Amino acid sequence: MRLLLIEDEERLAEALAYILKKQNYGVDMAHDGDIGQSLAESGSYDLIILDRMLPGKEGVILLRELREQGMTTPVLMLTAKDSIADRVEGLDAGADDYLVKPFATEELLARVRALARRPGQLVEVEKLQVGELCLDPKLCEVDIDGVLIKLTLKESQLLELLIRNMGQVITKEQILDRVWGLDSDVEVGNVEIYVHYLRKKLGSQYIRIDTIRGLGYCLKKTD
Ligand code: CA
């Protein structure tokens, strides 16, 4: 499950992201409405947690535009307001659920789980295809020419990140942040170990993970 968290109060956002990552959710963050919207449009998310009052584009307007574009991803709206009119406006804009600040983290997690379970709502996690290699992030499985290779959750998240950024250099710090979370005590050395595992498991028939010295890694199609 990959979540997009759009929240301008950075300390709250960091705290929520930390809690969500502890639950094995992948989390991307945006601190204003404009960046949030471009992430929502470009990324594929299973759930969006959207603060209502945002600098840049305001939450309700942003959500209305995303729904007009046909985005069906479940949206949990966070708000400091709790009037019926505000609630209706949020739901009318296309929010699936609503949480009034301040809230207990347990309540947030319960709402996230409920939205993730809602049948027909959750966008199917897409499989990622590179040549004859296909990653199923939900099952943590890679299919190479019909041969299934089981990955661990972290290996799968790492490969997903590399495939989504194919041809671009990803730093070890970015990998740590995206796969393990900002506050994780995992060190950069672990990234190297996981890349090593991935290379061993996947071989180099269709893709290869290049080390870009001093920078990070880059996934490329094998010529
Ligand atoms: Ca806000």
Side-chain angles (χ1 to χ4, degrees):
M1 280 266 298
R2 186 135 206 100
L3 312 185
L4 174 61
L5 175 60
I6 309 175
E7 165 63 72
D8 61 308
E9 290 167 53
E10 294 197 21
R11 287 183 64 177
L12 174 63
E14 298 286 355
L16 293 179
Y18 174 75
I19 290 158
L20 290 164
K21 285 174 181 174
K22 283 267 185 212
Q23 307 288 317
N24 275 342
Y25 297 114
V27 181
D28 287 338
M29 267 191 287
H31 298 310
D32 73 59
D34 296 314
I35 293 170
Q37 182 163 16
S38 59
L39 278 177
E41 286 170 355
S42 67
S44 69
Y45 295 99
D46 304 296
L47 179 74
I48 296 174
I49 300 173
L50 174 65
D51 186 34
R52 186 196 164 107
M53 303 290 278
L54 290 168
K57 195 165 280 178
E58 205 250 318
V60 170
I61 294 166
L62 188 166
L63 178 55
R64 195 167 284 138
E65 288 183 10
L66 289 174
R67 291 300 188 223
E68 279 167 9
Q69 291 165 21
M71 192 202 71
T72 58
T73 309
V75 170
L76 173 62
M77 191 165 262
L78 307 180
T79 181
K81 301 180 180 179
D82 189 24
S83 74
I84 289 175
D86 287 318
R87 204 171 290 206
V88 168
E89 191 188 15
L91 294 172
D92 274 351
D96 297 87
D97 203 354
Y98 211 86
L99 203 50
V100 177
K101 294 178 183 176
F103 49 82
T105 53
E106 279 310 316
E107 191 176 5
L108 174 82
L109 291 175
R111 302 285 178 99
V112 167
R113 284 194 297 271
L115 283 176
R117 273 198 306 267
R118 194 172 284 189
Q121 282 283 349
L122 185 63
V123 176
E124 193 67 21
V125 180
E126 60 177 314
K127 294 181 182 177
L128 299 161
Q129 187 94 34
V130 183
E132 297 302 308
L133 180 149
C134 180
L135 169 68
D136 186 335
K138 207 158 66 177
L139 298 177
C140 298
E141 248 172 27
V142 176
D143 182 327
I144 300 181
D145 279 337
V147 179
L148 286 180
I149 298 160
K150 197 75 192 153
L151 301 179
T152 64
L153 176 66
K154 293 299 172 200
E155 288 167 351
S156 174
Q157 289 176 338
L158 172 58
L159 181 60
E160 182 180 350
L161 180 66
L162 288 169
I163 292 176
R164 289 193 189 283
N165 294 279
M166 185 108 155
Q168 295 172 41
V169 177
I170 305 270
T171 67
K172 291 174 188 175
E173 288 72 22
Q174 284 172 324
I175 293 172
L176 267 187
D177 179 20
R178 297 285 296 273
V179 176
W180 279 271
L182 280 179
D183 298 317
S184 126
D185 44 15
V186 172
E187 289 169 7
V188 166
N190 283 56
V191 174
E192 293 162 16
I193 293 167
Y194 274 82
V195 168
H196 171 75
Y197 287 149
L198 261 187
R199 282 179 177 142
K200 258 180 103 167
K201 283 191 176 179
L202 302 178
S204 57
Q205 201 178 351
Y206 296 107
I207 55 171
R208 59 170 211 271
I209 304 169
D210 286 354
T211 301
I212 312 296
R213 200 159 286 283
L215 282 174
Y217 299 99
C218 180
L219 187 75
K220 289 185 176 154
K221 276 190 191 175
T222 308
D223 307 316

